[in-house]
Amino acid sequence: MIGIQLTYKAPETLKEALDLVGREGHQILTADQSLISDLKKGVPSLHTLVSLRKIPGLSSINIDNGELRIGASASYNSLLTHEALNQYPALAQALATIPDPHLRHHSTFGGALSHGGRIHAPVLAALMALDASVVVLTRDNDTRLPIHYFSQNGNRVLLPQGGLITMIVLPEPAAKSSAYLTVNQLAGRQANHGIAISLTQSGDTLDQIRLILAGFTEQPIRLKNIEEKLAGSSLTPDSIKSAADQLGQDELPIHNDRIPEGYQRHLAGVLLQRALKSLTKQTVS
Ligand SMILES: Cc1cc2nc3c(=O)[nH]c(=O)nc-3n(C[C@H](O)[C@H](O)[C@H](O)COP(=O)(O)OP(=O)(O)OC[C@H]3O[C@@H](n4cnc5c(N)ncnc54)[C@H](O)[C@@H]3O)c2cc1C
């Protein structure tokens, strides 16, 4: 039994919601998935829940100016069943790895980004590979935060005071190929270990590449040095192998006692090589 008295408010407009969320002791709720676990941990001074359920438009998913705009209250499943997702294979494949149907149907993008948690790492990694941004509204302005902001600061993300996520925006995919790869291993215990990749090529040459590992570190990690080394080059079996050899402690700082470090580093190398080969089959045998 959790002995706490809470007031529930359900504003009908964004303006009303913003007036409430900046106040002390008020907490936003979208689909309430994290409420019980948060209350068990104890949330000091919480006295009012501000539900976003009644605000129109926050669950919509649409294409505007070539961008895919995902409302913060849209569920994972509503995007999974949306035809626009065909353009973003990395995100479709990452969403499909969320093992629990309850979470797939009820987790919202705004709630998951704000709450953090390893279960959402594949989705965050795919959004990072696709250069997503997040629209955060406050009473004074609206800001577009780059998605990598949400992979910092440990588990819980600090939004600007009184801030509310309204939308996740994916740029037009243009000629970008993308994928999210994972492995079935150890009775599914590490199902959230995976890699998100996106790239553009001119002929055999890689123009731009994003490589994000999920599940190895507390938050998904971008392999910037490897990206820089590969951009502007043509992939060969040797360059792919040498990219995997670069996954030392500097590039991938593993601090997880449950799973042997050597095993994780090997797994990361295998995923990286498979990801590079999967999107560049035409140039690498
Ligand atoms: C059965 C079950 C199993 C679960 N298992 C796991 C698990 O294994 N691992 C794990 O990590 N999590 C787990 N969770 C929690 C899960 O991560 C939630 O999906 C996640 O918290 C998002 O929930 P939500 O969309 O309902 O958001 P809510 O719970 O409504 O909100 C989550 C947080 O985000 C904030 N927030 C919500 N919307 C916005 C917004 N638009 N702008 C700004 N802030 C916002 C809220 O204030 C709150 O702090 C589980 C939950 C359930 C019910």
Side-chain angles (χ1 to χ4, degrees):
M1 168 117 178
I2 302 167
I4 177 170
Q5 274 209 329
L6 295 168
T7 304
Y8 178 85
K9 292 189 179 167
E12 296 187 9
T13 64
L14 272 176
K15 184 175 178 311
E16 285 168 22
L18 287 169
D19 282 343
L20 294 169
V21 296
R23 297 188 196 172
E24 184 268 328
H26 287 60
Q27 179 172 315
I28 305 171
L29 280 183
T30 302
D32 317 349
Q33 303 288 293
S34 61
L35 180 60
I36 300 298
S37 64
D38 277 2
L39 290 179
K40 280 185 183 162
K41 282 181 222 150
V43 187
S45 79
L46 172 66
H47 55 72
T48 302
L49 301 174
V50 181
S51 170
L52 303 180
R53 281 173 201 269
K54 291 189 179 169
I55 300 178
L58 274 188
S59 304
S60 63
I61 298 171
N62 51 55
I63 297 189
D64 195 343
N65 251 335
E67 297 177 330
L68 177 61
R69 300 183 171 198
I70 307 165
S73 300
S75 70
Y76 282 178
N77 200 55
S78 61
L79 183 60
L80 259 172
T81 52
H82 198 287
E83 61 179 15
L85 197 59
N86 295 337
Q87 303 287 312
Y88 303 92
L91 187 52
Q93 291 154 8
L95 284 166
T97 69
I98 302 292
D100 186 334
H102 181 101
L103 286 185
R104 272 203 311 277
H105 281 81
H106 297 288
S107 277
T108 65
F109 282 85
L113 281 182
S114 170
H115 181 264
R118 279 185 183 236
I119 199 92
H120 303 289
V123 177
L124 181 51
L127 291 172
M128 288 166 73
L130 295 166
D131 290 325
S133 53
V134 179
V135 179
V136 176
L137 196 64
T138 65
R139 267 195 272 190
D140 304 322
N141 58 19
D142 65 15
T143 320
R144 265 201 196 199
L145 293 174
I147 189 71
H148 66 75
Y149 180 87
F150 290 81
S151 72
Q152 297 162 356
N153 305 321
N155 239 2
R156 197 164 270 270
V157 171
L158 296 173
L159 290 175
Q161 174 64 17
L164 179 54
I165 300 171
T166 54
M167 200 190 293
I168 290 84
V169 181
L170 288 173
E172 194 167 9
K176 199 180 273 179
S177 318
S178 72
Y180 183 84
L181 282 78
T182 186
V183 282
N184 287 328
Q185 42 162 349
L186 296 184
R189 262 200 314 152
Q190 287 89 42
N192 58 3
H193 277 85
I195 187 165
I197 177 172
S198 78
L199 56 84
T200 53
Q201 278 179 290
S202 306
D204 286 355
T205 308
L206 283 176
D207 293 326
Q208 193 205 44
I209 178 160
R210 294 271 183 277
L211 294 163
I212 322 288
L213 281 172
F216 294 88
T217 44
E218 197 55 50
Q219 295 281 10
I221 187 164
R222 186 170 159 197
L223 306 176
K224 271 194 178 168
N225 293 331
I226 298 181
E227 289 174 4
E228 276 170 22
K229 202 167 164 193
L230 293 175
S233 71
S234 302
L235 285 182
T236 63
D238 281 349
S239 67
I240 291 181
K241 169 83 176 48
S242 121
D245 290 344
Q246 239 182 290
L247 285 170
Q249 188 67 7
D250 286 350
E251 192 73 0
L252 179 60
I254 293 176
H255 305 288
N256 181 343
D257 297 339
R258 275 187 316 124
I259 311 164
E261 184 193 325
Y263 170 73
Q264 292 200 67
R265 220 170 277 291
H266 173 73
L267 181 58
V270 170
L271 282 167
L272 175 60
Q273 294 185 63
R274 283 187 191 169
L276 290 169
K277 286 178 186 167
S278 75
L279 291 191
T280 52
K281 277 191 186 126
Q282 64 278 28
T283 56
V284 182
S285 54

